[in-house]
Amino acid sequence: MSVIIWVTEGTWPACVDAAREHTAADDDLVLLHVTDDTVAEAAHGAFAGLLGRGHRERDPGTRLEDLSRAAVDDLFADAEQRLGRPARRLELTGRAEQQVVRAAEGADLLVCARDGDRGHLGPRSLGPATRFVVDHAPCPILLVWPDAAPGLGSLPPPPPDHPRP
Amino acid sequence: MSAVLLIGVLAFAVVRPRNWPEAVAALPAAGLVVGLGAVAPTEAWQQTRDLLPVVGFLAAVLVLAQLCDDDGLFAATGDFVARVCGSSAQRLLGGVFAVAAVITAVLSLDATVVLLTPVVFATAARAGVRARPHVYATAHLANSASLLLPVSNLTNLLALAASGLTFTRFAALMALPWLAAIAVEYGIFRVFFRSDLAARPSGGREREGTPMPVFTLVVLALTLAGFVVTSFAGLSPAWAALAGALVLAGRGLARRRTTPRKLVGSAGIPFCLFVLGLGIVVKAVVDNGLGTAISHLLPDGDSLPALLAVVAVAAVLSNLINNLPAVLALLPVAASGGPGPVLAVLIGVNLGPNLTYVGSLATLLWRRILHEHDDAPELGQFTRLGLLTVPATLVASTAALWAALHTIGG
């Protein structure tokens, strides 16, 4: 079985734990990270907006790209250590939701985490990118809470004016 | 004719063919407008003499910021923020707001864009949170938090000379607008990035910290105090910036942390020459029609609606052609109306550039052409953020300026 584990800053430990728990030792595991290239581009842009300063070598966007590569390597190393099993690294760049859906084609399972409101059960527990992935993924998904799920007490009351079918 | 030259100078500065300094076009253009008689040589000389102290002040602040970075001040600040606020992405955003606001105010927006942005990214990555809100916040605050002191932005330095305000009076009048802009930005960021900020840090990485350079921090504080003292003594606050830069430069040279070559490089001399050239070209355009057009456009007085109108004109102009030429064009007209309209112009030209992520449509257009054939990242989210924050910060800061003018008095 080929399993893709989508790791993002903040929520990756839950995905790695879930993958370890729900896959067999001989499954083919892939750690997927998508770098948000708009962050470095924002820094490039802020520098380009400073009219007349010249010196392209002072562009902070370039420094950000280097730092970003190093940070992704660190993230992969941490995730591999926590996983404790061999896994391939897949490093993509661009819009996370688009890249994840494309990468998931042909996979047998995609593991990802809720990244929105953690206090309530419900649709707001998914951020926009994860929402898109859940709605469009071409493969089965294992969707986990990044930490303990909120209790049933957080369920909204049923709407009063809808009679049961 | 002068207008064509101005457009040429700006286009050259945006495109920068062969990586040539922007002054390569600005200085000959300045010579040409004088040669063609659009500006009398005596007036051009007067404009240069007016701008020289401003540009010298700017160079001193640029050197000061670079020396602070050489001493590790920015890296140490990043470590400090990570230690105090690293436990959640929201707290980290608060820390980044505080640091970016103070650094922009004291060491200018150049320091925030060039020196602080990489530190903020590294801090977020180390804490294990998504860096986007924090990096976007730094980019926004480089503009929004540049209202407080004359040194925060070159536009402010230009206005200080034109308005006749002292350093301290400028700061007193702009404190409330500065706080209003930052508060509005913070509120919008918290809501706009609520999903990114909800993610909890995933086991930050330990790294050797950079010790806080106490000596540098003390020199910086004394420089700030020097701004106030020189201002009360009737001297130019540029002397305080120069003194601070000299002390740190002497120490940096003695400890071999910097070289004379690096020091001269960090002063941004080609940039200073560009500003001087641009000043003469803009003066030619203003004297030959643009000034009259602007004076018809700008309302008189410092009632709230009049201030809002000035802010709107300044914000639109800075978005069209960049805020540096915009402020040079608007100041001569605004200055005749007293400090109120001048400070309103600054609110417009300093906050307006957040609308696009590159500060003006001219630069945006050029980047589009550059990236036509490759897969450049789309910054739709940044633009949506700008559409929310810019009108809100403009209105809040202008209302705050109006309140300050009516309590402290212009």
Side-chain angles (χ1 to χ4, degrees), chain A residues 8-10 12 36-38 41 44-45 48-49 51-54 56 58 60 64 67-68 74 78 115 118 127 147, chain B residues 16 22 66 110 113-114 118 121 128 130 132 135-136 195 198-200 202 205 271 322 357-358 367 377-379:
Chain A
T8 63
E9 291 77 5
W12 65 268
D36 178 1
D37 52 357
T38 63
E41 182 63 13
H44 281 304
L51 189 74
R53 267 68 156 194
R56 223 154 266 175
R58 282 171 66 82
L64 236 62
L67 287 168
S68 170
D74 287 349
D78 289 347
D115 57 351
R118 291 160 186 216
D147 25 46
Chain B
R16 298 195 70 228
E22 296 80 351
Q66 183 59 50
D110 286 59
V113 169
V114 176
F121 179 86
R130 288 169 208 167
R132 185 161 44 175
V135 170
Y136 279 21
S195 160
R200 242 161 263 181
S202 49
R205 289 199 146 234
F271 175 43
N322 199 298
Y357 76 106
V358 289
R367 284 184 88 76
E378 297 263 333
L379 269 84

Side-chain angles (χ1 to χ4, degrees), chain A residues 60-81:
Chain A
T62 314
R63 176 103 182 86
L64 236 62
E65 282 161 5
D66 297 342
L67 287 168
S68 170
R69 272 189 289 276
V72 173
D73 283 344
D74 287 349
L75 182 64
F76 273 136
D78 289 347
E80 280 165 355
Q81 198 185 10

Side-chain angles (χ1 to χ4, degrees), chain B residues 111-194:
Chain B
T112 299
V113 169
V114 176
L115 305 172
L116 184 65
T117 311
V119 170
V120 164
F121 179 86
T123 305
R126 250 178 70 208
V129 304
R130 288 169 208 167
R132 185 161 44 175
H134 307 91
V135 170
Y136 279 21
T138 318
H140 260 228
L141 286 179
N143 291 316
S144 328
S146 72
L147 292 175
L148 181 64
L149 300 179
V151 286
S152 315
N153 200 326
L154 175 58
T155 53
N156 300 0
L157 284 174
L158 293 166
L160 184 72
S163 69
L165 288 167
T166 62
F167 191 98
T168 39
R169 190 148 195 87
F170 182 103
L173 286 169
M174 286 303 244
L176 218 48
W178 179 69
L179 287 173
I182 295 166
V184 170
E185 290 272 6
Y186 185 72
I188 293 177
F189 265 75
R190 280 298 295 267
V191 177
F192 193 86
F193 288 109
R194 60 190 177 281

Side-chain angles (χ1 to χ4, degrees), chain B residues 159-404:
Chain B
L160 184 72
S163 69
L165 288 167
T166 62
F167 191 98
T168 39
R169 190 148 195 87
F170 182 103
L173 286 169
M174 286 303 244
L176 218 48
W178 179 69
L179 287 173
I182 295 166
V184 170
E185 290 272 6
Y186 185 72
I188 293 177
F189 265 75
R190 280 298 295 267
V191 177
F192 193 86
F193 288 109
R194 60 190 177 281
S195 160
D196 283 320
L197 294 173
R200 242 161 263 181
S202 49
R205 289 199 146 234
E206 286 304 313
R207 202 191 61 176
E208 276 177 56
T210 313
M212 187 58 83
V214 179
F215 181 84
T216 313
L217 210 55
V218 171
V219 171
L220 204 55
L222 288 175
T223 307
L224 261 183
F227 289 151
V228 179
V229 173
T230 47
S231 161
F232 277 120
L235 292 165
S236 164
W239 295 114
L242 184 65
L246 283 177
V247 171
L248 288 186
R251 188 161 176 268
L253 286 171
R255 302 194 161 199
R256 296 182 190 282
R257 278 204 186 123
T258 187
T259 59
R261 199 190 159 86
K262 277 191 195 162
L263 282 175
V264 174
S266 63
I269 289 166
F271 175 43
C272 297
L273 292 174
F274 167 72
V275 175
L276 293 176
L278 184 67
I280 293 176
V281 179
V282 171
K283 181 165 175 53
V285 183
V286 169
D287 288 352
N288 292 290
L290 186 67
T292 334
I294 291 174
S295 62
H296 286 307
L297 207 60
L298 290 188
D300 293 328
D302 46 15
S303 67
L304 187 55
L307 290 177
L308 280 169
V310 173
V311 167
V313 170
V316 169
L317 198 59
S318 74
N319 264 298
L320 288 177
I321 57 170
N322 199 298
N323 62 3
L324 214 49
V327 81
L328 284 170
L330 291 170
L331 277 178
V333 180
S336 60
V342 170
L343 297 178
V345 164
L346 286 182
I347 290 178
V349 297
N350 291 354
L351 301 182
N354 275 338
L355 200 56
T356 55
Y357 76 106
V358 289
S360 75
L361 292 177
T363 314
L364 191 65
L365 204 64
W366 173 243
R367 284 184 88 76
R368 276 283 154 80
I369 296 168
L370 265 188
H371 289 303
E372 209 169 42
H373 302 296
D374 57 17
D375 227 9
E378 297 263 333
L379 269 84
Q381 199 189 25
F382 199 95
T383 311
R384 282 197 298 283
L385 183 64
L387 284 172
L388 288 173
T389 62
V390 169
T393 49
L394 285 177
V395 171
S397 291
T398 314
L401 173 66
W402 176 79

